[in-house]
Amino acid sequence: AVKNLKIQKAKEAFDYYAGLAGGAVKALQDAEMANVDAKYDAEIEAARNAGKDTTDIEKKKANEKLKIQKKYADVNFAIQASQIIASTAAAIAKTFSELGFPAGIPAAALMAVTGTAQLAAALAERNKVKKMTMQGASSSTSSGARVATGLESKKNSAFLQQQ
């Protein structure tokens, strides 16, 4: 019971600080996106009022937003990976404290596999963001259209947290 309480308190402290870090990074990314929106929305409005084509300005805006997403992809992955690792470690430790050494091995192995799969999914999302290009933009890679992403998979490790 004491071990479980210590594990739970350590996990809560980690989640608190990881949440702060994740929130700070998200706020920085959102602020940069808002600046890009404000800058280009004003240019687009001025061009429309002057009767000009806004296609080039809209492409520049989308490219800058994509650059911001790519810039934060590594940081978002690091935060997500640390959350997955902490959740997996806490779940494994709790399993061993509840079931004991020999009996906890199969359950702990399953949790480790689940954590590894979650890390692989988070890495795939990071790689997808890093490889994205604009449709119609000059690029040697063809990896699809721009997609808005964020920390939508923050609760990626709900299964492990419930263990």
Side-chain angles (χ1 to χ4, degrees):
V2 172
K3 283 183 184 179
N4 283 339
L5 187 57
K6 287 181 180 178
I7 292 168
Q8 180 182 352
K9 291 297 178 186
K11 178 74 172 81
E12 287 173 7
F14 176 83
D15 287 343
Y16 173 76
Y17 291 111
L20 287 177
V25 168
K26 177 104 172 85
L28 289 171
Q29 182 176 357
D30 289 347
E32 285 190 47
M33 291 286 210
N35 286 336
V36 168
D37 283 336
K39 173 185 172 185
Y40 284 103
D41 287 348
E43 286 184 34
I44 290 168
E45 186 63 30
R48 282 189 184 140
N49 290 339
K52 296 180 181 177
D53 184 25
T54 61
T55 305
D56 288 338
I57 299 170
E58 290 170 356
K59 281 183 182 180
K60 287 179 185 177
K61 176 183 174 181
N63 275 324
E64 280 202 39
K65 290 180 90 169
L66 182 58
K67 285 179 187 176
I68 292 168
Q69 287 179 321
K70 288 181 178 186
K71 174 180 167 183
Y72 285 96
D74 292 328
V75 176
N76 289 333
F77 170 72
I79 291 168
Q80 197 173 13
S82 67
Q83 291 170 336
I84 292 168
I85 291 166
S87 295
T88 302
I92 290 170
K94 184 176 179 183
T95 297
F96 278 122
S97 70
E98 289 176 357
L99 299 178
F101 180 66
I105 292 173
L110 178 61
M111 288 177 201
V113 168
T114 302
T116 302
Q118 290 173 340
L119 280 172
L123 180 61
E125 175 66 20
R126 176 221 168 255
N127 290 340
K128 181 180 86 173
V129 171
K130 296 289 268 188
K131 291 179 182 177
M132 279 193 292
T133 62
M134 296 301 302
Q135 285 183 339
S138 59
S139 176
S140 60
T141 62
S142 59
S143 59
R146 182 182 164 277
V147 179
T149 62
L151 294 173
E152 66 272 356
S153 57
K154 185 176 181 182
K155 297 296 178 187
N156 197 359
S157 56
F159 169 76
L160 293 175
Q161 291 173 350
Q162 291 174 354
Q163 296 301 315

